[in-house]
């Protein structure tokens, strides 16, 4: 059972990290346009927005950890660094308040000013540092195409400067983080390693300042499937912090957390459980058992327990963790992380067969969204869909239909009748109506979804394939001509082979349907090669499972 979760763009936190650097001398005064006219260019020494997952206890914002302490402006910071810090803080504040237009105006004005300098042949660290803050701002806005272009400009500059340049290590950390977010792991590894080399030469191989590039490198290794190497890197970061800060220091939480998440992905849930229990123990010792950070650690522990198969124990840990977070007011009820944890627990309860309890949490999510955003706000659609999915699972299709029609009305009003986002509740409703034997309207909605997605994504796109698959199920039930069904199935198969792979599980399921209809229509010449392909896939799959 999958719950569709629409994530609002509030989860791109930009956190600061800095190391004590040599003072910067002979910096030119850089001026450019601000929103209210010509003024001193405001920038931030902005540091790496940490790549914590949604379940991370948001240490960088709420705990005085290594990242927080090192992010504070230092007494030795010069005017240029302070201007960077101020600019970064201003952009971050605008994004937090939802003033996207003002943020774009400010970022664009500064981009035009620094671009003018670069075109004039001035390509130094000052220009790279300005581009860095601008890129971080556009990351927060979700304009990844522009971020990639800015990274290319930054890379051209940093490749031509020596490792002794001030600000270079921090800038490399930001570039690594952005490259990782864009899925450009080779680029990320290069800049992280260069940053690590700089810091090792400055502070030695056991300095806490190495932790940030090490965590970045560990994340890249994890993303490219080199889990053993990632664990090795994370453990090095952990050992550095344990030696310099102490085994029970709050600073060790972030590498412990990264290790726990990675080990869950690698099927080593028991090992992950040890790390998450240690996080919980550290927070209890420092803050007491009723602190919100303890609650976050308990929710993380629940993931490991669930991965081990201890579902009831995982549910208990999740419930207790959410209660601690709520009672301590550690996090707002409408916080995205809080919302995700409620939905995760609701899904877990459904898996455990405790659907009524799961629905209570989903209803709570809907009530919170309506309270803070309004009854007809698009953010409520997520929760309406989740509730409808829950009711469909319990065969209460009447209530599911009501919720889905409400969600379709809200999203259509908000986004317009041709926006592809409306096809999500539209297809859900089509499936529900199919179960209610209202086939005519179900077919109409599925056809409409196909049309909208074709216009939005292209006729050979995976979203179109998903909608066609739904349409096939409906038309099969209403007795559509077999040859037309076969034609649609072949189209779905072609899309799946292109987008998911020639031997993907979805493609094989569709191939089986194609073979069935070819046999039904007596087209043996076409059937036999596809049947052999299906047989080869089954043999290969059995061998891989046995191995």
């Amino acid at each position: 059972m999958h719950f569709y979760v629409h994530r609002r763009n509030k989860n791109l936190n930009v956190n600061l990290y800095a190391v004590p650097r040599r003072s910067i001398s002979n910096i030119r005064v850089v001026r450019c346009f601000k929103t209210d006219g010509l003024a001193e260019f405001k920038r931030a020494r902005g540091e790496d927005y940490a790549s914590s997952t949604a379940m991370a206890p948001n240490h960088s914002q709420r705990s005085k950890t290594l990242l927080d302490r090192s992010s504070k402006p230092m007494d030795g910071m010069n005017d240029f660094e302070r201007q960077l810090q101020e600019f970064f803080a201003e952009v971050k504040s605008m994004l937090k308040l939802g003033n996207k237009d003002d943020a774009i105006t400010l970022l664009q004005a500064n981009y035009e000013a620094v671009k003018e300098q670069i075109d004039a042949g001035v390509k130094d660290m000052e220009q790279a540092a300005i581009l860095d803050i601008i890129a971080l701002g556009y990351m927060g806005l979700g304009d990844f195409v522009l971020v990639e272009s800015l990274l290319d400009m930054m890379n051209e500059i940093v490749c031509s400067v020596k490792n002794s340049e001030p600000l270079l290590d921090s800038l490399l950390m930001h570039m690594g983080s952005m490259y990782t977010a864009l899925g450009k792991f080779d680029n990320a590894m290069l800049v992280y390693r260069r940053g690590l080399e700089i810091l090792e030469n400055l502070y030695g191989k056991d300095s806490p300042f190495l932790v940030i590039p090490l965590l970045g490198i560990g994340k890249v290794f994890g993303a490219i499937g080199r889990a053993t190497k990632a664990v090795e890197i994370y453990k090095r970061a952990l050992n550095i912090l344990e030696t310099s800060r102490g085994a029970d220091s709050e600073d060790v939480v972030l590498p412990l957390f990264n290790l726990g998440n990675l080990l869950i992905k690698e099927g080593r849930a028991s090992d992950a459980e040890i790390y998450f229990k240690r996080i919980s123990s550290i927070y209890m010792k420092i803050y007491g058992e009723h602190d919100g950070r303890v609650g976050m650690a308990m929710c993380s522990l629940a993931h490991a327990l669930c991965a081990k198969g201890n579902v009831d124990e995982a549910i208990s840990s999740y419930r207790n963790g959410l209660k601690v977070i709520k009672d301590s007011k550690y996090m707002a009820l409408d916080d995205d992380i809080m919302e995700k944890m409620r939905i995760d627990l609701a899904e877990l309860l459904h898996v455990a067969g405790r659907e009524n309890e799961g629905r209570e949490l989903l209803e709570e999510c809907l009530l919170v969204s309506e309270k803070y955003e309004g009854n007809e706000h698009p953010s409520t659609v997520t929760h309406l869909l989740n509730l409808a999915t829950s009711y469909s699972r319990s065969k209460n299709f009447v209530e599911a239909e009501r919720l889905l029609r409400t969600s379709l009305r809200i999203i259509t009003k908000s986004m317009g009748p041709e926006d592809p986002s409306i096809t999500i509740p539209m297809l859900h409703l089509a499936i529900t109506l199919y179960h209610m034997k209202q086939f005519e309207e179900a077919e109409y909605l599925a056809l409409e979804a196909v049309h909208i997605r074709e216009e939005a994504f292209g006729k050979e796109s995976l979203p179109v394939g998903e909608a066609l698959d739904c349409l096939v199920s409906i038309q099969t039930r209403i007795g559509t001509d077999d040859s037309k069904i076969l034609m649609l199935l072949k189209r779905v198969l072609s899309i799946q082979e292109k987008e998911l792979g020639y031997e993907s599980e979805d493609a094989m399921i569709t191939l089986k349907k194609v073979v069935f209809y070819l046999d039904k229509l007596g087209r043996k010449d076409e059937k036999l090669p596809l049947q052999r392909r299906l047989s080869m896939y089954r043999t290969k799959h059995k061998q891989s499972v046995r191995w």
Side-chain angles (χ1 to χ4, degrees):
M1 169 121 170
H2 297 284
F3 287 94
Y4 170 74
V5 184
H6 172 71
R7 306 295 296 161
R8 297 187 294 274
N9 273 334
K10 298 194 298 184
N11 58 342
L12 285 168
N13 297 318
V14 185
N15 305 310
L16 302 180
Y17 167 77
V19 295
R21 298 294 291 154
R22 304 166 296 284
S23 60
I24 307 175
S25 58
N26 299 321
I27 295 290
R28 292 181 299 279
V29 176
V30 184
R31 305 178 67 91
C32 81
F33 290 96
K34 194 186 169 196
T35 50
D36 56 356
L38 190 62
E40 274 294 322
F41 182 76
K42 293 188 176 181
R43 304 169 179 81
R45 167 75 194 255
E47 306 300 323
D48 194 290
Y49 54 83
S51 54
S52 308
T53 67
M55 282 301 302
N58 224 2
H59 309 295
S60 55
Q61 291 185 358
R62 308 175 203 273
S63 308
K64 292 187 179 300
T65 63
L66 172 70
L67 301 184
D68 294 302
R69 285 199 294 273
S70 63
S71 71
K72 294 180 180 177
M74 292 166 289
D75 294 337
M77 184 182 292
N78 65 21
D79 289 341
F80 180 72
E81 289 178 288
R82 190 168 289 107
Q83 289 169 357
L84 286 174
Q85 189 84 290
E86 291 170 0
F87 176 42
F88 179 79
E90 185 170 358
V91 173
K92 184 178 177 182
S93 176
M94 288 177 177
L95 294 179
K96 186 176 181 180
L97 295 171
N99 299 331
K100 291 186 178 181
D101 291 340
D102 290 344
I104 291 172
T105 301
L106 180 58
L107 291 168
Q108 183 62 29
N110 284 291
Y111 171 75
E112 290 172 0
V114 74
K115 181 67 163 56
E116 185 178 341
Q117 292 180 339
I118 291 172
D119 290 342
V122 183
K123 298 181 180 181
D124 297 323
M125 278 304 301
E126 295 94 318
Q127 285 68 43
I130 296 166
L131 290 172
D132 180 30
I133 305 304
I134 295 171
L136 289 170
Y138 279 111
M139 279 296 293
L141 289 163
D143 191 341
F144 303 131
V145 174
L146 183 52
V147 170
E148 190 170 343
S149 175
L150 291 166
L151 283 169
D152 289 340
M153 295 173 67
M154 292 162 61
N155 195 52
E156 183 180 346
I157 295 174
V158 300
C159 284
S160 65
V161 301
K162 296 180 179 180
N163 284 356
S164 58
E165 281 288 338
L167 297 179
L168 178 58
D169 49 59
S170 294
L171 188 143
L172 290 170
M173 295 306 99
H174 305 165
M175 291 178 68
S177 185
M178 288 185 276
Y179 275 134
T180 302
L182 295 173
K184 292 183 165 292
F185 301 119
D186 289 341
N187 302 76
M189 186 65 79
L190 287 173
V191 294
Y192 274 136
R193 281 180 166 162
R194 186 179 177 189
L196 179 63
E197 179 186 348
I198 292 171
L199 294 174
E200 284 180 334
N201 290 335
L202 280 170
Y203 306 109
K205 294 185 180 295
D206 298 316
S207 169
F209 297 128
L210 308 184
V211 170
I212 292 299
L214 286 173
L215 292 178
I217 291 170
K219 181 174 183 181
V220 173
F221 275 129
I224 62 177
R226 296 184 61 184
T228 302
K229 191 65 177 176
V231 169
E232 177 188 326
I233 295 295
Y234 283 145
K235 284 186 175 180
R236 181 185 171 191
L238 179 61
N239 290 335
I240 289 173
L241 290 174
E242 287 176 334
T243 302
S244 59
R245 309 291 188 185
D248 291 330
S249 167
E250 187 176 357
D251 291 336
V252 305
V253 166
L254 190 54
L256 286 172
F257 179 82
N258 289 344
L259 274 167
N261 277 339
L262 180 63
L263 291 170
I264 287 177
K265 287 171 61 178
E266 292 301 308
R268 296 168 57 185
S270 295
D271 293 332
E273 181 185 2
I274 294 171
Y275 289 119
F276 287 127
K277 282 185 174 179
R278 186 175 165 191
I279 293 172
S280 183
S281 175
I282 289 170
Y283 278 141
M284 283 186 183
K285 287 179 182 178
I286 298 174
Y287 299 106
E289 62 182 11
H290 300 299
D291 186 83
R293 282 157 283 222
V294 175
M296 296 294 291
M298 294 170 72
C299 291
S300 296
L301 175 60
H303 279 255
L305 293 169
C306 183
K308 283 181 64 178
N310 300 342
V311 176
D312 290 336
E313 197 175 343
I315 290 172
S316 177
S317 184
Y318 236 137
R319 278 198 183 283
N320 292 335
L322 284 171
K323 185 177 186 303
V324 171
I325 295 168
K326 186 176 180 180
D327 291 347
S328 64
K329 298 182 180 178
Y330 177 71
M331 181 180 296
L333 289 176
D334 65 329
D335 189 282
D336 274 0
I337 297 174
M338 190 75 169
E339 176 185 281
K340 182 185 184 304
M341 290 190 294
R342 284 194 297 262
I343 293 173
D344 283 347
L345 177 55
E347 184 170 4
L348 189 56
L349 286 163
H350 278 79
V351 170
R354 295 158 64 174
E355 295 173 354
N356 289 334
E357 294 175 67
R359 268 195 294 276
E360 287 177 6
L361 277 169
L362 295 177
E363 287 168 356
E364 182 182 344
C365 288
L366 178 60
L367 290 173
V368 168
S369 183
E370 289 177 340
K371 177 181 177 181
Y372 288 93
E373 304 287 357
N375 289 351
E376 296 288 310
H377 194 274
S379 65
T380 62
V381 171
T382 296
H383 310 301
L384 290 166
L385 284 171
N386 287 344
L387 273 169
T389 303
S390 175
Y391 279 114
S392 293
R393 179 187 175 114
S394 299
K395 309 299 182 185
N396 188 345
F397 297 116
V398 173
E399 182 62 16
E401 179 193 6
R402 183 188 71 80
L403 293 165
L404 289 168
R405 289 193 187 278
T406 301
S407 65
L408 181 57
R409 186 188 74 250
I410 292 172
I411 199 69
T412 303
K413 181 180 177 182
S414 173
M415 305 302 294
E418 297 298 323
D419 190 272
S421 61
I422 75 168
T423 61
I424 296 168
M426 188 177 283
L427 287 172
H428 275 270
L429 180 57
I431 294 167
T432 299
L433 293 171
Y434 165 85
H435 286 296
M436 298 174 71
K437 296 182 172 51
Q438 298 181 29
F439 300 122
E440 186 175 340
E441 186 180 1
E443 182 186 27
Y444 168 78
L445 290 169
L447 285 166
E448 188 67 15
V450 170
H451 170 72
I452 292 171
R453 290 189 175 190
E454 284 177 338
E455 292 296 318
F457 305 115
K459 292 187 176 183
E460 300 304 313
S461 63
L462 190 57
V464 170
E466 293 169 348
L468 286 170
D469 203 27
C470 175
L471 177 62
V472 166
S473 298
I474 295 169
Q475 290 189 338
T476 300
R477 187 65 180 269
I478 62 178
T480 300
D481 184 75
D482 288 342
S483 59
K484 291 183 179 180
I485 295 292
L486 178 60
M487 182 178 64
L488 289 177
L489 283 171
K490 285 184 174 181
R491 187 178 167 192
V492 173
L493 180 61
S494 174
I495 292 171
Q496 290 172 339
E497 289 173 341
K498 176 185 173 185
E499 298 293 334
L500 301 177
Y502 195 71
E503 293 187 353
S504 66
E505 185 177 356
D506 287 344
M508 290 302 106
I509 291 172
T510 304
L511 179 61
K512 186 177 179 181
K513 295 176 184 177
V514 170
V515 169
F516 170 81
Y517 274 96
L518 286 172
D519 182 67
K520 190 177 181 182
L521 292 168
R523 293 158 65 171
K524 294 183 179 180
D525 291 343
E526 293 181 59
K527 183 190 79 169
L528 289 175
L530 296 180
Q531 200 168 31
R532 282 195 295 269
R533 176 184 160 192
L534 194 59
S535 178
M536 290 173 63
Y537 170 81
R538 286 170 177 164
T539 302
K540 182 177 179 180
H541 181 66
K542 286 178 182 178
Q543 288 174 343
S544 65
V545 170
R546 191 180 302 118
W547 173 257

